[in-house]
Amino acid sequence: MHYRRMGRTGLKLSEISLGAWVTFGSQIDEKTATDLIHAAYDQGINFFDNADVYAGGEAEVLMGRAIRGLPREALVLSSKVFWPTMPGPNGRGLSRKHVIESVHASLKRMQVEYFDLYFCHRYDPDTPVEEVVWVMNDLIRQGKILYWGTSEWEPHQIMEAIGIARSLNLIGPSMEQPQYNMFHRKRVENFLAPVCRDYGIGLTTFSPLYFGILSGKYNEGIPAGSRASMESMGWLRDLITPERIAIVRQLTELANELDATTAQLAIAWILRRKEVSAVITGASSLEQMDENLGAAEIAEKLDDDILERIENILGNFPE
C-alpha cells in the first residue's frame, strides 16, 4: 500500500480507501462489513469513509462495530454533515446547531471519541460560511474532529472558507471530496486542481467506477443482484447508456492488454493525479476489495502511450 499526504497536512492516507456509501447498512451484513474492514486494514488501508446520512445512520453503526479490535490510532475515520438527519427545520444544513448535534450523534453511532476527518457534505446557502468555519474550528479545538473539509463545494466556496479562516486566524478546510472518474472529470481537472495547488487542499475522491459502470459489469446487461438491479436505483439505470457501454468495452479491451480488470484500470487512471490523496472505493465482497487494491500496481503501467489511448477512447478531455 502506498500512502499520500492529505494536501499539505502531515496526515497520510492510504491511496485506496474503503467507503460505506450504498454497501454498509443496506447491501452487506455486519459479518461481511467486519471481514471487509479487517481484511482492508491487514492490506494497508487506513482510511475508512462514512457519513451520517448513509443508510439512515446504520452505516456508521455498522462501521463502529466492524472496527472493534483494531487500534483506533492507526485508523483514519471520517463522517459528514449536511443532509436531513433530524426532525424540524434545523435538522439539516450547516448551522452551528445542526453540526454540533450531528457530530455528537455520529460519534455515538460509531462509538469513537473523535473523527479524523469531518466533511461539510454540501454547501449550505442558508448558513454564512463564517459560521461554518467557526463551528469546525471549535470542534477541532474540542478534540472532536482533527481536520475538516468539504464535499462537492465549488472552488470559489472553498476559497471563501479559506479566506475567512485566515482572516480570523482559524483553522480552514484541508480537504475536498468530489466525484471523480473517467466520465466525470472536468470539475476536478479544470477547477479544483488549481485550488489544490495554490491552497494545499487534498482530494479524497468518490465514485471512481461511475456507480459501477466503469467496472464493466454492465457491458452485457444488468446482472441480477447488482446495484443497478435494485428498485431504488432507477437513476443508475438511466446512466447506463449504449454510448457509455461502448466506451467501457473499449476500456475493457485495453485493460486486458495490461493484465488488469476494467475496474483496476479506472482506479489506476485516477491515481495518476497528484492532487488525489485517496480514492474512496466501495466493496460488497472480499474479492471485490482485493480487485480494487490491485489498481495500485496497474497505475505504474500507465505510461504516456497508454494514457493517450485512454484519452482517445474517452473523447472527453477537458478544454
Side-chain angles (χ1 to χ4, degrees):
M1 177 62 65
H2 298 134
Y3 299 90
R4 301 185 179 193
R5 286 177 59 197
M6 190 180 73
R8 289 187 195 146
T9 73
L11 186 67
K12 296 180 178 63
L13 307 178
S14 51
E15 64 181 5
I16 295 175
S17 70
L18 184 63
W21 183 48
V22 178
T23 53
F24 279 56
S26 55
Q27 280 190 321
I28 61 176
D29 57 23
E30 183 174 338
K31 183 182 183 304
T32 303
T34 300
D35 290 345
L36 277 171
I37 284 185
H38 282 251
Y41 176 78
D42 289 341
Q43 296 187 66
I45 289 180
N46 71 346
F47 173 28
F48 299 93
D49 181 72
N50 217 319
D52 61 358
V53 75
Y54 294 167
E58 284 302 309
E60 291 180 324
V61 173
L62 202 59
M63 183 173 285
R65 293 173 181 166
I67 61 175
R68 290 175 184 171
L70 297 178
R72 174 64 184 91
E73 55 279 353
L75 308 177
V76 177
L77 303 177
S78 74
S79 190
K80 308 179 188 74
V81 57
F82 171 78
W83 298 108
T85 55
M86 300 171 184
N90 294 309
R92 60 165 294 162
L94 298 178
S95 68
R96 175 180 293 273
K97 175 177 171 60
H98 183 57
V99 169
I100 293 294
E101 292 172 345
S102 183
V103 73
H104 285 165
S106 291
L107 290 170
K108 183 177 181 179
R109 284 191 290 266
M110 288 272 283
Q111 300 180 60
V112 294
E113 295 182 352
Y114 66 93
F115 286 116
D116 301 271
L117 309 180
Y118 199 53
F119 293 88
C120 298
H121 212 164
R122 291 296 186 273
Y123 179 80
D124 183 359
D126 294 330
T127 302
V129 176
E130 182 174 336
E131 181 174 342
V132 177
V133 174
W134 266 110
V135 69
M136 292 298 167
N137 185 83
D138 289 346
L139 290 176
I140 290 175
R141 298 298 186 194
Q142 294 167 13
K144 293 174 182 175
I145 66 174
L146 304 186
Y147 302 88
W148 78 276
T150 59
S151 180
E152 294 284 85
W153 279 33
E154 295 299 328
H156 71 88
Q157 295 164 346
I158 299 171
M159 289 188 290
E160 181 183 1
I162 292 172
I164 289 172
R166 290 181 175 181
S167 67
L168 297 175
N169 198 27
L170 303 176
I171 300 172
S174 300
M175 65 279 181
E176 155 68 15
Q177 188 169 123
Q179 180 186 163
Y180 182 48
N181 53 62
M182 288 176 165
F183 287 143
H184 188 93
R185 57 188 296 196
K186 183 175 181 178
R187 183 167 173 270
V188 165
E189 295 182 17
N190 278 17
F191 305 117
L192 284 174
V195 177
C196 295
R197 181 184 63 246
D198 296 341
Y199 296 96
I201 296 293
L203 300 182
T204 62
T205 65
F206 71 91
S207 195
L209 303 182
Y210 197 61
F211 312 108
I213 296 173
L214 283 164
S215 70
K217 71 169 69 175
Y218 302 118
N219 282 5
E220 307 304 327
I222 299 177
S226 66
R227 190 178 299 179
S229 69
M230 297 168 62
E231 186 175 345
S232 60
M233 289 289 182
W235 58 269
L236 174 53
R237 292 190 288 276
D238 293 337
L239 298 178
I240 305 174
T241 64
E243 294 77 14
R244 290 196 178 105
I245 293 303
I247 290 172
V248 177
R249 285 174 177 163
Q250 293 182 68
L251 292 171
T252 300
E253 293 178 3
L254 178 55
N256 289 337
E257 293 180 30
L258 299 174
D259 294 322
T261 66
T262 317
Q264 288 172 338
L265 179 64
I267 295 171
W269 180 85
I270 297 172
L271 290 172
R272 85 198 192 285
R273 299 288 306 200
K274 293 181 180 179
E275 303 90 351
V276 174
S277 300
V279 178
I280 300 172
T281 63
S284 57
S285 67
L286 292 173
E287 293 76 17
Q288 193 175 33
M289 187 187 69
D290 288 341
E291 178 185 356
N292 292 339
L293 285 171
E297 296 180 9
I298 304 305
E300 300 174 359
K301 299 182 180 182
L302 301 187
D303 57 24
D304 291 343
D305 177 62
I306 295 296
L307 290 173
E308 184 176 357
R309 290 176 63 185
I310 291 174
E311 291 295 355
N312 289 334
I313 291 172
L314 295 177
N316 62 354
F317 188 80
E319 296 294 336

